[in-house]
Amino acid sequence: MKTVKVYITLKQGVLDPQGKAVQESLNKLGFPEVHGARVGRFLELQVDEHADIDRQIKEMCAKLLANPVIEDYQYTIEEGVAQ
Amino acid sequence: MKFAVIVFPGSNCDRDMYHAVTSSLGEEADLVWYEEANLSGYDAILLPGGFSYGDYLRSGAIASTSHVVTEIKQKADMGIPVLGVCNGFQILLEAGLLPGAMLRNKQLKFMCHQEKLVVENNQTRFSSAYTTKEAISLPIAHGEGNYYCDEGELAELEANNQIVFRYANNPNGSVADIAGIINQQGNVLGMMPHPERATEAVLGSSDGLKLFKSVVNHWREAYVAGV
């Protein structure tokens, strides 16, 4: 079994009103050094060992996990199941 | 004319849609549970608003992978009219039946009020009962109705007259004030405002009824002899 960690982020150039609200809140909390924030999504998948796992993950991202119109994704594959 | 209103877990405008068709419009409709994916015998397919699958992952994303959507794609290819309203529009975008995607409203607020729209294209089977540039008022009710597409896609939408409705006072940050778009073939329309909630004066507006009447008129002209 492998643990696949998928990170989904809004594409460059796509406005992120949620990120902007987070940035403004951090500024108000006394962190003026924050000049930008982007909110994304993190998924952790437990996946069977498979020689073709890269292709499978890319297909999962394209078909469901990310929306290619507005989102990019990255992933890492780790040994074993995360506790 | 017989309409199918598709019901997903979490749909909540399905009965409004059913009422609009059967009572306000006076045509036939069935509420069709998404697992009973037999759409043969229907002249039009309606995807109602709501929060299918609790908006998990992205609005409309999970519903767009269901078997019934595969069947809706086949029907759309055959030229059957498909209307998606609000969450129904989000499902059409996620399924790739219409271009673009939805982002959260610019102000991060769920908005629920009447909104003024302009009919940009009345040369479609969903809008022919309106006059061009007609100002209408329909309710909106969404948190993720901020339509996004890239510049190339927008140029294509504009060039092909695919923008059917625009907001007069853009409430959510949508690109080019887009409230509703149609596919190139002209038989799949997606829109965030709710025409089914504006089909009788007692509801505050009957401006949505003309949309359904347009669909019926087109169908009669195409399929009913002697009309």
Side-chain angles (χ1 to χ4, degrees):
Chain A
M1 195 84 88
K2 302 268 191 186
T3 295
V4 180
K5 293 180 174 174
V6 186
Y7 305 84
I8 294 160
T9 50
L10 279 176
K11 280 185 174 173
Q12 289 289 329
V14 175
L15 286 175
D16 180 9
Q18 215 180 164
K20 193 157 183 297
V22 169
Q23 181 214 323
E24 284 167 6
S25 290
L26 286 172
N27 293 156
K28 279 182 199 156
L29 277 171
F31 300 103
E33 59 270 43
V34 180
H35 296 288
R38 308 278 284 171
V39 176
R41 193 182 298 117
F42 170 69
L43 293 101
E44 207 170 74
L45 311 173
Q46 279 78 52
V47 184
D48 279 336
E49 302 260 5
H50 195 283
D52 226 4
I53 193 163
D54 271 294
R55 189 189 54 76
Q56 281 185 324
I57 300 300
K58 283 175 184 151
E59 202 177 328
M60 289 179 206
C61 287
K63 282 190 170 170
L64 181 65
L65 302 180
N67 182 334
V69 178
I70 47 172
E71 294 170 330
D72 288 326
Y73 64 86
Q74 291 178 300
Y75 61 89
T76 59
I77 301 172
E78 295 171 17
E79 289 298 329
V81 176
Q83 295 300 309
Chain B
M1 190 172 177
K2 198 169 178 186
F3 293 75
V5 179
I6 312 297
V7 186
F8 290 101
S11 296
N12 67 7
C13 301
D14 42 329
R15 282 166 195 276
D16 294 6
M17 198 70 101
Y18 179 84
H19 176 85
V21 172
T22 55
S23 179
S24 309
L25 189 66
E27 298 291 331
E28 283 182 76
D30 286 331
L31 291 165
V32 180
W33 182 239
Y34 76 114
E35 285 179 313
E36 298 160 14
N38 183 2
L39 298 177
S40 55
Y42 292 104
D43 305 306
I45 296 163
L46 305 173
L47 288 167
F51 297 86
S52 58
Y53 295 91
D55 273 355
Y56 294 164
L57 198 62
R58 295 178 307 276
S59 306
I62 310 274
S64 76
T65 65
S66 59
H67 177 71
V68 72
V69 171
T70 308
E71 193 169 341
I72 290 169
K73 281 182 185 168
Q74 290 164 0
K75 295 288 176 191
D77 285 343
M78 291 161 58
I80 298 280
V82 178
L83 168 67
V85 170
C86 200
N87 189 226
F89 185 12
Q90 293 164 337
I91 293 168
L92 292 175
L93 293 170
E94 284 286 342
L97 276 157
L98 289 171
M102 283 299 170
L103 298 169
R104 293 189 69 175
N105 291 347
K106 203 174 155 191
Q107 304 84 343
L108 296 172
K109 284 180 185 162
F110 185 95
M111 289 181 293
C112 187
H113 57 250
Q114 290 286 124
E115 195 61 51
K116 288 194 170 66
L117 306 177
V118 178
V119 179
E120 285 293 323
N121 179 359
N122 73 339
Q123 302 295 309
T124 80
R125 63 165 78 188
F126 298 94
S127 60
S128 57
Y130 297 102
T131 55
T132 188
K133 297 288 176 188
E134 184 172 340
I136 63 172
S137 176
L138 295 180
I140 60 165
H142 59 248
E144 296 190 24
N146 180 352
Y147 179 80
Y148 174 83
C149 65
D150 64 27
E151 283 175 18
E153 198 72 68
L154 178 61
E156 201 163 310
L157 289 175
E158 301 263 17
N160 298 323
N161 285 322
Q162 287 174 257
I163 301 168
V164 180
F165 300 105
R166 278 193 224 259
Y167 298 109
N169 309 297
N170 193 337
N172 52 27
S174 289
V175 160
D177 304 328
I178 286 174
I181 55 169
I182 196 164
N183 64 342
Q184 284 195 28
Q185 293 73 28
N187 68 314
V188 178
L189 176 76
M191 60 192 295
M192 287 314 288
H194 290 268
E196 81 284 3
R197 292 192 196 175
T199 56
E200 294 167 34
V202 72
L203 296 172
S205 165
S206 57
D207 289 350
L209 189 57
K210 283 185 191 171
L211 187 150
F212 295 98
K213 281 189 170 162
S214 302
V215 177
V216 175
N217 290 344
H218 181 274
W219 182 80
R220 290 222 170 105
E221 281 161 22
Y223 299 110
V224 182
V227 176

